Amino acid sequence: MTQDQQRNFTQIDTWVFDLDNTLYPHHVNLWQQVDVRIRDFVASYLDIPAEDAFRIQKDYYHRYGTTMRGMMTEHGVRADDYLAYVHEIDHSPLEPNPAMGDAIAALPGRKLILTNGSAAHAAKVLERLGIEHHFEAVFDIIAAQLEPKPAPQTYQRFLDLHGVDPARAAMFEDLARNLAVPHRLGMTTVLVVPDGSKAVVREDWELEGRDAAHVDFVTDDLTGFLTGLSTA
């Protein structure tokens, strides 16, 4: 895609951010803690060895968008029980990021979170980063009626609930597959990829898609990218 074919930010008045691995660096590997607790939940609930639970966890994640959705669909798991368990992690690896906060604050218009995680987890992450006051609202997996991204109806629920015009909105996300629907709806899309100089814990498919047609921009430095927008 050439630059003149890409959407731009001149018309944007709503800025939508994914949470995990988007608003904090991939190499913090905070989500790795959640990943382990998801495996342990699956193993305990199904009474199976950890290695079998890990295979089921990743299969459901890939097929359903979240392991939780797979566990609910296949095994009748209660969402509240699952979310409370898997998000009971140590958030201390996250450090305040005033530079990113300043960059977000300088963006014109509204700022919203759209996450497959829980509102409670989002609140802890945003508080640790010191940027919670910049966001108008968090649209979490409960608001999505337990249907995770990239389900098309989840994005539509988000747009309807918050009165967002997709043609005037930008979406920042670390998984390319989660940008396909926003792009189709008219949003300007930005894929946030890992800093190539740091080790990250990701599966190969999670790192794919940066050349996809539904990805308008790619950055490995969200703060620098946002600062460039506000100073352009």
Side-chain angles (χ1 to χ4, degrees), residues 7-17 107-112 158-159 162-172 182-189 216:
R7 300 173 189 183
N8 58 54
F9 300 91
T10 57
Q11 81 287 7
I12 301 302
D13 61 15
T14 303
W15 308 84
V16 184
F17 295 85
L107 298 172
R110 309 162 67 197
K111 294 92 181 185
L112 300 161
F158 166 78
L159 296 174
H162 294 291
V164 175
D165 176 358
R168 298 181 63 83
M171 178 79 197
F172 296 80
H183 189 272
R184 188 164 69 245
L185 290 169
M187 299 175 78
T188 298
T189 58
D216 293 317

Side-chain angles (χ1 to χ4, degrees), residues 83-145:
L83 292 170
Y85 184 88
V86 304
H87 286 141
E88 191 62 37
I89 63 171
D90 175 18
H91 290 81
S92 64
L94 294 175
E95 298 180 351
N97 191 342
M100 185 170 65
D102 290 345
I104 292 171
L107 298 172
R110 309 162 67 197
K111 294 92 181 185
L112 300 161
I113 301 291
L114 172 52
T115 176
N116 280 344
S118 69
H121 171 64
K124 291 177 182 177
V125 169
L126 296 174
E127 182 178 7
R128 286 289 304 176
L129 294 173
I131 60 174
E132 70 278 8
H133 53 290
H134 296 303
F135 292 94
E136 177 182 316
V138 172
F139 185 95
D140 73 340
I141 192 64
I142 301 301
Q145 298 181 22

Side-chain angles (χ1 to χ4, degrees), residues 1-8 183 213 215-217:
M1 180 178 292
T2 62
Q3 184 66 34
D4 62 347
Q5 292 175 304
Q6 289 181 332
R7 300 173 189 183
N8 58 54
H183 189 272
V215 174
D216 293 317
F217 297 91

Side-chain angles (χ1 to χ4, degrees), residues 32-146:
Q32 188 179 16
Q33 294 185 57
V34 179
D35 202 53
V36 170
R37 289 188 68 80
I38 292 173
R39 182 202 64 194
D40 292 347
F41 181 94
V42 173
S44 176
Y45 193 89
L46 299 180
D47 193 21
I48 57 176
E51 57 268 25
D52 294 336
F54 182 76
R55 285 193 291 271
I56 290 173
Q57 169 191 352
K58 295 306 177 182
D59 174 51
Y60 288 173
Y61 178 41
H62 195 64
R63 287 198 286 130
Y64 289 96
T66 62
T67 304
M68 182 185 77
R69 189 67 183 177
M71 290 294 290
M72 291 171 59
T73 302
E74 303 281 350
H75 307 287
V77 163
R78 293 180 67 252
D80 289 348
D81 295 338
Y82 178 96
L83 292 170
Y85 184 88
V86 304
H87 286 141
E88 191 62 37
I89 63 171
D90 175 18
H91 290 81
S92 64
L94 294 175
E95 298 180 351
N97 191 342
M100 185 170 65
D102 290 345
I104 292 171
L107 298 172
R110 309 162 67 197
K111 294 92 181 185
L112 300 161
I113 301 291
L114 172 52
T115 176
N116 280 344
S118 69
H121 171 64
K124 291 177 182 177
V125 169
L126 296 174
E127 182 178 7
R128 286 289 304 176
L129 294 173
I131 60 174
E132 70 278 8
H133 53 290
H134 296 303
F135 292 94
E136 177 182 316
V138 172
F139 185 95
D140 73 340
I141 192 64
I142 301 301
Q145 298 181 22
L146 305 177

Side-chain angles (χ1 to χ4, degrees), residues 8-9 12-24 26 100 103-104 107-108 110-116 135 149 155 158 168-176 178-179 182-183 187-193 214-230:
N8 58 54
F9 300 91
I12 301 302
D13 61 15
T14 303
W15 308 84
V16 184
F17 295 85
D18 173 51
L19 183 78
D20 292 301
N21 293 325
T22 297
L23 284 178
Y24 58 83
H26 294 68
M100 185 170 65
I104 292 171
L107 298 172
R110 309 162 67 197
K111 294 92 181 185
L112 300 161
I113 301 291
L114 172 52
T115 176
N116 280 344
F135 292 94
K149 298 176 291 184
Y155 299 95
F158 166 78
R168 298 181 63 83
M171 178 79 197
F172 296 80
E173 166 73 59
D174 71 299
L175 293 177
N178 289 349
L179 291 173
H183 189 272
M187 299 175 78
T188 298
T189 58
V190 183
L191 181 66
V192 182
V193 300
H214 60 263
V215 174
D216 293 317
F217 297 91
V218 178
T219 182
D220 64 358
D221 175 12
L222 180 60
T223 297
F225 188 88
L226 296 178
T227 299
L229 293 179
S230 62

